[in-house]
Amino acid sequence: MQITVRYVAALRDRMGRPGDTLTLAADTADSEAVIARLRETDTAAEALAHPSVRLILNDAIVPRPAALADGDTLAFCPPFTGG
């Protein structure tokens, strides 16, 4: 299964790129598997595991862990404030 991963705002800066395309085994396809996969090759991905980072799956905010399907887009969004 293939998914698209996007990094939003400060996470994009931390990861050094706007996103990735990953191939995952269908039986382990959830947001935690994505984080584990990214952490294998990039220590910056540790930030994605922080509980304050929101998951956006196909344009909807979802709770952790989020189940994934082929073709999904998963975005990691850091906390932000406004005023």
Side-chain angles (χ1 to χ4, degrees):
M1 147 167 62
Q2 193 168 29
I3 67 160
T4 301
V5 179
R6 298 280 180 238
Y7 311 114
V8 178
L11 291 173
R12 179 177 41 241
D13 295 337
R14 184 167 183 136
M15 295 297 291
R17 57 193 181 278
D20 290 296
T21 300
L22 298 179
T23 301
L24 302 170
D27 61 338
T28 60
D30 68 17
S31 57
E32 300 309 305
V34 170
I35 293 169
R37 173 81 176 273
L38 292 167
R39 288 169 72 183
E40 290 174 1
T41 58
D42 190 341
T43 58
E46 181 69 33
L48 305 176
H50 195 277
S52 67
V53 172
R54 297 286 178 125
L55 302 181
I56 303 170
L57 180 60
N58 301 325
D59 299 323
I61 296 173
V62 296
R64 291 176 185 248
L68 303 172
D70 190 43
D72 279 348
T73 297
L74 177 66
F76 292 91
C77 182
F80 53 90
T81 60

